[in-house]
Amino acid sequence: TYQALADLASSITDAHDYLHEAVKTYVRATTLDAKSFDAHLNLGTCYFQLDHKALALQATHQAIKLNPTSYQAYTNYGLIAEYMGDYDAAISAYKTSIELESDQPRILLNLASAYMRQGKFRLAMNTLRHTVKVRPNDAEAWLYLGVCCFRQKYYTDAINAFQNAIRNNPRMPGAYRGLGVICMYQYVSDRTRTDLRDMALKAWEYSLQLDPNQNDLKELLAVY
């Protein structure tokens, strides 16, 4: 109940107060029953929300030991590990979670994100292709796929991915930015394609309308 109240709290201070009470209660529960999977799992979640990452990882690892077939425990472990910058551990946990429960498109997105953080864009691209296949309306997955295709020099696929991101979320500045980058990149390679330059500038201008805090993009607009 304390944990639920933290989610409903009207201020960060109140949320933290409720989470601290939840932690005390879960710790007491694990003292009374050291084999309580739910207590350890939820304790890890509360620690993570309080930014006690090492304690969160420890509690979640204990939950996995108690129930090694829980996909949710592996998902939580992956989230914490990724937040801590341990992408190898995050990838391993996400993959195990998906093996235990395949119907987790959001975790596929997390897996792709971890791959991207490691610079493994081909692996991320393959994961994202599967993600958009099962979730064709996921604008964020299309956005990430566009970035990966661009990094792999699949420019036509990248444009298609960014356009699908925009189609599913017309107010996504990153998708317009990415589309502009590809069009401008192709224009620089072939200066006769002024249509691509114009398309890039239009996309960048709209991206800035949606998110004005892109100073590097303002500089690119000034150059071109």
Side-chain angles (χ1 to χ4, degrees):
T1 302
Y2 281 132
Q3 192 174 9
L5 286 169
D7 291 336
L8 298 170
S10 57
S11 72
I12 294 175
T13 301
D14 287 344
H16 280 192
D17 288 343
Y18 283 127
L19 285 171
H20 282 297
E21 290 300 322
V23 165
K24 290 181 196 176
T25 311
Y26 283 133
V27 168
R28 178 64 176 154
T30 61
T31 303
L32 293 170
D33 181 4
K35 294 183 178 181
S36 173
F37 165 76
D38 288 336
H40 286 287
L41 184 67
N42 292 336
L43 177 61
T45 302
C46 289
Y47 275 139
F48 183 56
Q49 289 176 293
L50 288 167
D51 204 29
H52 300 324
K53 297 181 284 291
L55 290 172
L57 211 60
Q58 181 181 337
T60 308
H61 183 259
Q62 183 61 29
I64 290 173
K65 287 174 66 176
L66 291 167
N67 184 0
T69 62
S70 169
Y71 74 90
Q72 186 60 59
Y74 282 102
T75 292
N76 288 8
Y77 193 91
L79 290 169
I80 300 164
E82 185 175 5
Y83 186 78
M84 295 177 70
D86 188 349
Y87 302 123
D88 285 332
I91 288 168
S92 177
Y94 288 147
K95 289 171 72 174
T96 302
S97 178
I98 292 166
E99 287 170 6
L100 292 168
E101 175 53 66
S102 59
D103 187 20
Q104 295 189 85
R106 293 304 302 177
I107 303 309
L108 283 172
L109 192 59
N110 288 350
L111 175 61
S113 174
Y115 278 137
M116 291 171 71
R117 291 178 186 277
Q118 287 192 321
K120 298 177 180 178
F121 291 102
R122 181 170 292 279
L123 288 172
M125 183 178 68
N126 293 338
T127 303
L128 290 162
R129 287 192 189 282
H130 179 68
T131 306
V132 297
K133 184 176 180 180
V134 296
R135 288 189 69 171
N137 299 324
D138 191 327
E140 191 175 7
W142 282 112
L143 173 65
Y144 288 175
L145 180 58
V147 172
C148 291
C149 288
F150 177 70
R151 291 299 189 98
Q152 293 294 313
K153 299 183 179 181
Y154 298 139
Y155 300 128
T156 301
D157 289 346
I159 288 174
N160 178 65
F162 286 129
Q163 287 176 334
N164 271 298
I166 292 168
R167 190 173 296 116
N168 286 288
N169 183 0
R171 300 190 62 79
M172 180 175 273
Y176 291 99
R177 179 189 175 108
L179 181 62
V181 167
I182 295 175
C183 290
M184 190 61 74
Y185 182 85
Q186 291 180 313
Y187 164 71
V188 170
S189 299
D190 181 2
R191 297 279 180 166
T192 65
R193 296 294 308 275
T194 55
D195 59 316
L196 290 172
R197 179 201 61 197
D198 295 342
M199 189 183 300
L201 294 176
K202 184 177 180 181
W204 283 348
E205 287 170 354
Y206 195 65
S207 179
L208 281 169
Q209 287 180 32
L210 295 171
D211 178 12
N213 299 315
Q214 300 182 77
N215 292 329
D216 57 335
L217 197 54
K218 292 176 185 177
E219 293 173 4
L220 284 172
L221 270 171
V223 169
Y224 290 101

